[in-house]
């Protein structure tokens, strides 16, 4: 017998996720927003945080929210505590290249079974999973061509169908990193520091949002 199922109802931001960044920036108004200014050093002392950005002298703040990958956070901290080194150091990353293309051959043959995320695990030992995001379904694109983002599938994609290659580093979820997640609450708070990012969950936008809300609440935000 066949079992019926319902697809999850995924919601997307109209115009792409860049729009909620623009909305946040607009609400900050006259506050100082700096783009293209990488932070090179974060140091905590005497209840304050000293932040150094490229090409600028050190500046002093009451607190800091570090919204980077954990390995990047450790590289920024001039005075990382043993607890920060242990928990942030539990996370590792794997490099991968995403390919944006229009090759429908990478998708299931029957259109009715094509999903937002299409997953295939080769039988050969040592081969990684092959994943293709169907953007037409995921982002509700009304386009005649299938727009896909694929990982670990290059040999299956016709070269003339490739539109762009995008290098990424994705968090590698291991027994150690998942165990560290359970201990993250309050990490750095004694030194006026909060950490947030999708790596505190399963790597999705929603996980980044949840961790960002937690950091905002620590700073005193209420809703």
């Amino acid at each position: 017998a066949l079992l019926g199922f319902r697809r999850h109802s995924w919601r997307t931001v109209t115009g792409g996720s860049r729009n909620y960044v623009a909305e946040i920036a607009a609400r900050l108004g006259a506050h100082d927003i700096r783009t293209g200014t990488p932070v090179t050093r974060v140091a905590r002392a005497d209840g304050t945080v000293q932040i150094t950005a490229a090409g600028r002298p050190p500046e002093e703040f009451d607190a800091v929210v570090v919204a980077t990958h954990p390995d990047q956070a450790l590289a920024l901290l001039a005075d990382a505590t043993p607890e920060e080194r242990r928990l942030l150091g539990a996370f590792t990353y794997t490099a991968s290249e995403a390919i944006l293309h229009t090759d429908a051959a990478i998708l299931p043959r029957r259109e009715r079974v094509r999903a937002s995320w299409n997953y295939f695990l080769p039988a050969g030992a040592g081969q990684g999973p092959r994943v293709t995001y169907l953007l037409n379904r995921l982002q509700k694109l009304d386009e005649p061509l299938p727009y896909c983002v694929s990982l670990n599938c290059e040999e299956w994609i016709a070269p003339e169908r490739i539109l762009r290659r995008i290098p990424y580093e994705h968090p590698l979820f291991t027994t150690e990193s998942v165990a560290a997640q359970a201990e993250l609450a309050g990490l750095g708070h004694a030194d006026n520091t909060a950490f947030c990012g999708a790596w505190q969950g399963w790597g999705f936008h929603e996980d980044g949002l949840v961790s960002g809300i937690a950091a905002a609440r620590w700073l005193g935000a209420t809703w």
Side-chain angles (χ1 to χ4, degrees):
L2 295 176
L3 298 177
F5 67 93
R6 277 180 50 191
R7 295 183 188 272
H8 289 291
S9 179
W10 296 101
R11 298 183 183 275
T12 58
V13 179
T14 301
S17 57
R18 71 182 65 183
N19 283 342
Y20 62 68
V21 176
E23 179 70 19
I24 293 170
R27 294 192 182 197
L28 288 173
H31 290 271
D32 191 8
I33 300 175
R34 304 175 194 173
T35 60
T37 310
V39 173
T40 59
R41 186 176 186 271
V42 175
R44 291 78 53 91
D46 302 323
T48 62
V49 179
Q50 190 180 77
I51 297 178
T52 304
R56 289 177 172 268
E59 299 175 75
E60 197 169 272
F61 298 89
D62 295 326
V64 62
V65 176
V66 183
T68 69
H69 295 319
D71 56 343
Q72 295 171 333
L74 275 177
L76 289 174
L77 296 177
D79 51 3
T81 66
E83 193 74 348
E84 288 169 339
R85 292 189 182 281
R86 181 178 69 85
L87 294 177
L88 296 176
F91 294 85
T92 56
Y93 282 76
T94 179
S96 59
E97 184 179 66
I99 297 178
L100 173 64
H101 64 93
T102 58
D103 192 350
I106 201 75
L107 297 167
R109 290 190 181 91
R110 289 184 293 169
E111 289 193 24
R112 60 178 296 188
V113 301
R114 293 177 182 175
S116 298
W117 290 270
N118 300 275
Y119 176 95
F120 176 73
L121 186 61
Q127 297 190 58
R130 306 185 182 197
V131 181
T132 293
Y133 300 80
L134 179 55
L135 301 184
N136 301 58
R137 179 180 291 277
L138 186 61
Q139 298 289 344
K140 301 187 186 307
L141 302 181
D142 184 16
E143 296 288 341
L145 293 174
Y147 284 90
C148 307
V149 173
S150 296
L151 298 171
N152 303 325
C153 300
E154 182 172 4
E155 68 272 26
W156 291 5
I157 302 170
E160 66 274 13
R161 295 284 188 178
I162 294 176
L163 302 176
R164 188 178 177 187
R165 300 173 185 272
I166 310 163
Y168 284 105
E169 285 192 345
H170 292 97
L172 188 62
F173 295 105
T174 63
T175 302
E176 292 77 14
S177 65
V178 172
Q181 287 179 340
E183 299 185 61
L184 287 173
L187 178 66
H189 288 188
D191 291 317
N192 295 350
T193 306
F195 301 92
C196 67
W199 53 272
Q200 294 193 13
W202 296 107
F204 292 100
H205 281 267
E206 292 84 355
D207 297 310
L209 176 63
V210 168
S211 69
I213 289 174
R217 285 178 173 158
W218 168 70
L219 287 170
T222 57
W223 290 272

